[in-house]
Amino acid sequence: MNQAAEQRILVIEDEPGIVDFLQRGLQTAGFAVEAVGDGIEGERLALADRFDAIVLDLMLPGRGGLEILAAVRRARPSVPVIVLSALGELDDRVTGLDAGAVDYLIKPFSLTELVARVRAQLRAAEQTAPSTLTAGDIEVHLITRRTTRGGTTVPLSNTEFELLAYLMRHRGQAVSRLQILAAVWGYDHDPATNIVDVYVGYLRRKLRTPGNPAPIHTVRSVGYRLDAAG
Ligand code: CA
């Protein structure tokens, strides 16, 4: 049986002391943490599909926390965001946003308080997120990490599973190789790599059944699209 994957937290904060405090505290609490101090890079990472929650400072170089928050709410509305703010920075623009997925902590805060908030937000997000993704006769069970086609289990490696789950979440949409690369492999990968094409090839072979090719289509000069109807 697969263990539930480690939950990944993105920390967007530019004060090294706070970053260090957050990183050590969240790691001790069992989370995988990635930290970034720049607003532009922070937004890029926040929109990648690989974080379960985001801890976001408001005052950042490059791009402000409010802009990042708005972009995340548009593109990835189910991802919980915990906003860190100095007293007085928090204004109606933040507090007026959909409160369900946005939480606030006023600096200074204790680590216990932060970890409790992160856990509470992750629990709330899990309850609203679907545990199964479906496209035609393909089903991906996110909790057991089991994939079936027409009811038959398709054994996938971890990377193949993450790739399929990403395509299923965006079913019916063309997604670029770069988007896929960022979401499944992370940005530290060389964008010139053909790893996405290689893994799409693996997935197609594993998902096809006689007379029934995998519904993953190549979209010319863009990337790939998984058909919703299968
Ligand atoms: Ca700051």
Side-chain angles (χ1 to χ4, degrees):
M1 270 312 276
N2 274 313
Q3 288 253 307
E6 198 173 36
Q7 287 178 304
R8 293 155 302 177
I9 315 289
L10 174 64
V11 170
I12 310 176
E13 162 67 79
D14 61 319
E15 283 170 65
I18 297 180
V19 172
D20 194 50
F21 170 74
L22 291 174
Q23 211 157 18
R24 280 186 298 157
L26 289 168
Q27 275 163 0
T28 305
F31 297 108
V33 183
E34 195 164 326
V36 59
D38 171 78
I40 292 170
E41 181 62 10
E43 180 177 279
R44 231 153 55 93
L45 286 171
L47 297 179
D49 200 17
R50 61 197 171 101
F51 294 99
D52 299 294
I54 297 166
V55 176
L56 174 68
D57 184 32
L58 286 185
M59 302 292 274
L60 292 162
R63 181 154 302 160
L66 278 177
E67 284 174 79
I68 298 174
L69 182 60
V72 172
R73 296 269 63 83
R74 265 196 314 275
R76 311 207 46 221
S78 62
V79 177
V81 180
I82 291 121
V83 170
L84 306 179
S85 165
L87 198 61
E89 270 175 22
L90 212 56
D91 64 21
D92 297 347
R93 285 175 299 168
V94 183
T95 49
L97 282 161
D98 51 343
V102 183
D103 203 351
Y104 323 97
L105 268 179
I106 305 292
K107 294 175 183 177
F109 51 86
S110 77
L111 212 43
T112 316
E113 198 181 359
L114 173 74
V115 169
R117 298 284 189 94
V118 170
R119 289 208 170 113
Q121 287 288 329
L122 285 170
R123 264 197 309 276
E126 265 162 28
Q127 279 159 11
T128 53
S131 60
T132 305
L133 302 170
T134 308
D137 60 353
I138 299 174
E139 277 191 7
V140 167
H141 303 268
L142 296 170
I143 294 164
T144 58
R145 296 176 73 83
R146 181 167 167 260
T147 303
T148 60
R149 182 155 203 203
T152 305
T153 299
V154 181
L156 297 180
S157 72
N158 266 336
T159 305
E160 289 162 355
F161 181 87
E162 292 297 335
L163 173 61
L164 179 61
Y166 180 80
L167 293 171
M168 298 276 282
R169 284 193 186 97
H170 297 86
R171 56 197 174 277
Q173 303 167 26
V175 282
S176 73
R177 286 178 178 79
L178 211 57
Q179 284 174 303
I180 297 171
L181 192 66
V184 178
W185 282 271
Y187 274 105
D188 14 346
H189 250 275
D190 174 8
T193 175
N194 70 341
I195 196 165
V196 172
D197 308 277
V198 169
Y199 272 83
V200 166
Y202 295 159
L203 262 189
R204 281 176 168 158
R205 276 199 290 282
K206 288 194 172 179
L207 287 171
R208 78 178 167 216
T209 53
N212 205 6
I216 304 172
H217 303 279
T218 304
V219 182
R220 270 191 69 169
S221 72
V222 180
Y224 294 99
R225 186 190 69 245
L226 187 141
D227 271 354

